[in-house]
Amino acid sequence: MCGIVGYIGKRDAAPLLLEGLQRLEYRGYDSAGVAISGKSGGLKTVKAKGRVRDLDSRLPKRFAGTTGIAHTRWATHGAPNDVNAHPHLDADGQVAVVHNGIIDNASEVRAKLEADGVEFASETDSEVLAHLIGRSQADKLEEKVRDALRHIEGTYGIAVLHAAFPDRIVVARNGSPVVLGIGEKEMFVASDVAALVSHTRQVVTLGDGEMATIKADDYRTYTTREGSRTAASPETVEVEAASYDMGAHDTYMHKEISEQADAVDRVLRGRIDDRFSTVHLGGLNLDPREARKIRQVKILGCGTSYHAGQIGAGLIEELARIPADSEPASEFRYRNPVVDPDTLYIAVSQSGETYDVLAAVQELKRKGARVLGVVNVVGSAIARETDGGVYVHAGPEVCVVSTKCFTNTVVAFALLALHLGRIRDLSVADGKRIIAGLRKLPEQITEILAREDEIAKLAQQYTDARSMLFIGRVRGYPVAREASLKLKEVSYIHAEAYPASELKHGPLALIEPAMPTVAIVPDDDLLEKNRAALEEIKARSGRILAVAHQEQEKADHTIVVPKNEDELDPILMGIPLQLLAYHTALALGRDIDKPRNLAKSVTVE
Ligand code: M6R
């Protein structure tokens, strides 16, 4: 949510900042803005409601300067317009600030400043920072920023420019990510590495409560509270710059759906242990004796990650026979949960930044719980805060709508379930059976993706729907939930998921030709029960699209997917429905990679 970038060096800053913003646009796309330290002194700022391309078209031809900061916004406080766009300036126009996060006590601080005669230009919470820094009497910029932050409660990743200190950018982090990119006599700063990797692979990730001063040929990190130096050793980012490119695809969503066979291959690579019919999970930090003592597993995530966690919970129950469930992290953290010492907690997140998940992890850690992470972004906040975990290795996911990461997260859970199962009571034969199933996945995914044309044609038939029902039973229910989320967020068609077993308890009342149903109908022990639900819908003139292992007589259309082991079927059954959501949105002319009102990394509550 919101992306910040900064550059200091010898090159013209504006084009580099714009390029960085474009890479971070998935974090927010309500407005964008840039501030440059001009060659002749002073700060120049341009802001625009809308996308980075709108900002670009507003930049004057001569917007020279080799130091600058920029921002792409997801609006929290104040409407998306030019005035509320960042950077925000202090009253004298000497200080420019870009901010990602939420200042919780902004109204209080603003009231005090206004009582002192400060006039605010915007409705944002972030503007208080610019005024506080501008009014600080400290000599050094670093001290001014530290002074200002003492008045602030909330989360922030900030970058600050000051006209009187043109040789530096000061950045600080508390709860919202900030990474420094170290180049050859130039330095970058950004909310995530996506904005840096085309220039440098050497990065330093700031920790919470840490600040940094970056100059063209030097950087220094220190604590925000005391200003004491901290050790910051650069790490090499492994991900290739090219993996952020769209390649031959028209959207990132399409690219990411298409990459799933390779992505699954990656999450499996090097982890299967045929000798003991199990898997090795290097970073788990859970020895077998501890694993045997686990009495319950609680999985926490938001949105798609929560749904992946629901399938994960099912896998853990089935393969390891440990009671497991998944809950939205956003709910969990506010209900004063009982934290049980024999429960293993697992935080799931693509970005590793989602505020509600991070806050749940911190609360659990504070209460002494053991928390593992199932995370995609290596080195992200959640990956760092957890006691160990499994990386999902889906590669960068840029589209706001999560697809390949969902699939890889479920596969990562299958690995974890197998690992726990083989430490407990899962037999060698079952271990072998699951491993064989996992190995089949990439090929089966390729088979499903080859049916894209058929699914695209089908999608045309559902564009007129105002609302759609998604149903599934047990293993199929979380698949239905995820598929309904996909459809609604990318096509804006209302969709609701229900357990097929609950149809008769209410939702059947909705069935009519204008309310199509998508049914998950695997060939497992519940096949006949699922078929009965199709009968009931058909008897009420409902239209049915089934995702199944064989043609369903009662369905108007069946997307037939290859059969795997019963436990692993949910991994495959969601994939055609990602394509259905994509093609429905395409037919409706939606902004597929950037659905309205959303952003990818939800770093605010
Ligand atoms: O980065 P995370 O996995 O923690 O993100 C959680 C949700 O915000 C995310 O899955 C969201 O629901 C996506 N838009 C789903 O496509």
Side-chain angles (χ1 to χ4, degrees), residues 346-393:
I346 304 179
V348 196
S349 178
Q350 185 286 129
S351 60
E353 278 182 37
T354 300
Y355 185 78
D356 281 318
V357 184
L358 185 59
V361 170
Q362 287 166 343
E363 176 68 358
L364 283 165
K365 297 287 301 282
R366 194 185 63 75
K367 291 183 169 171
R370 173 188 284 277
V371 192
L372 299 183
V374 174
V375 172
N376 191 37
V377 176
V378 175
S380 55
I382 294 168
R384 286 149 64 117
E385 290 264 351
T386 41
D387 299 304
V390 186
Y391 276 122
V392 160
H393 295 313

Side-chain angles (χ1 to χ4, degrees), residues 103-273:
I103 311 288
D104 294 332
N105 62 340
S107 345
E108 204 182 296
V109 177
R110 184 178 178 126
K112 279 192 196 145
L113 289 168
E114 282 176 334
D116 265 5
V118 175
E119 283 184 22
F120 276 75
S122 76
E123 305 158 88
T124 65
D125 55 334
S126 314
E127 192 183 340
V128 297
L129 283 164
H131 293 296
L132 288 170
I133 297 167
R135 286 162 64 87
S136 165
Q137 297 301 309
D139 293 335
K140 295 181 178 164
L141 178 56
E142 293 75 0
E143 291 302 324
K144 287 177 188 291
V145 175
R146 288 180 55 216
D147 256 5
L149 293 176
R150 277 187 205 110
H151 294 89
I152 292 300
E153 286 161 24
T155 56
Y156 51 80
I158 56 168
V160 182
L161 267 189
H162 197 303
F165 301 89
D167 66 335
R168 67 194 62 196
I169 298 172
V170 172
V171 297
R173 167 185 171 146
N174 186 45
S176 303
V178 177
V179 286
L180 315 181
I182 304 157
E184 279 292 313
K185 298 214 179 326
E186 60 183 3
M187 290 282 298
F188 300 82
V189 54
S191 296
D192 71 56
V193 294
L196 311 173
V197 285
S198 53
H199 301 289
T200 176
R201 309 270 291 270
Q202 291 296 104
V203 304
V204 170
T205 306
L206 286 194
D208 280 341
E210 223 178 353
M211 289 178 64
T213 300
I214 61 167
K215 297 183 174 182
D217 52 2
D218 184 29
Y219 69 94
R220 195 160 60 81
T221 59
Y222 39 93
T223 58
T224 305
R225 196 176 292 200
E226 298 88 10
S228 339
R229 285 295 291 266
T230 52
S233 6
E235 289 163 336
T236 306
V237 179
E238 278 173 24
V239 61
E240 299 286 337
S243 44
Y244 289 97
D245 293 338
M246 212 185 276
H249 300 268
D250 290 337
T251 61
Y252 280 106
M253 184 175 181
H254 192 264
K255 175 187 181 231
E256 288 157 8
I257 290 174
S258 312
E259 284 172 347
Q260 291 181 98
D262 286 346
V264 167
D265 191 51
R266 225 170 16 243
V267 67
L268 297 177
R269 202 173 301 153
R271 285 171 158 170
I272 291 176
D273 173 354

Side-chain angles (χ1 to χ4, degrees), residues 19 27 51 77 79 104 128 153 181 275 300 336 464 468 472 493 557 590:
E19 180 202 317
R27 302 179 70 92
R51 302 289 165 90
H77 294 56
D104 294 332
V128 297
E153 286 161 24
R275 184 164 166 233
L300 301 165
N336 192 21
D464 62 337
M468 280 171 84
I493 293 176
H557 305 282
R590 305 298 191 226

Side-chain angles (χ1 to χ4, degrees), residues 26 128 278 311 356 400 543 548:
Y26 65 84
V128 297
T278 184
I311 302 179
D356 281 318
V400 167
R543 278 151 79 194

Side-chain angles (χ1 to χ4, degrees), residues 282-336:
L284 209 54
N285 298 334
L286 184 72
D287 78 39
R289 254 171 303 184
E290 289 171 315
R292 291 193 66 87
K293 286 189 197 142
I294 301 166
R295 296 173 67 96
Q296 197 184 323
V297 175
K298 166 69 87 182
I299 302 171
L300 301 165
C302 293
T304 288
S305 290
Y306 158 53
H307 296 152
Q310 285 192 303
I311 302 179
L315 282 160
I316 290 170
E317 281 208 353
E318 287 197 82
L319 300 182
R321 301 306 294 155
I322 308 172
D325 75 339
S326 173
E327 182 177 342
S330 44
E331 290 287 301
F332 175 83
R333 56 182 283 242
Y334 281 115
R335 64 173 177 80
N336 192 21

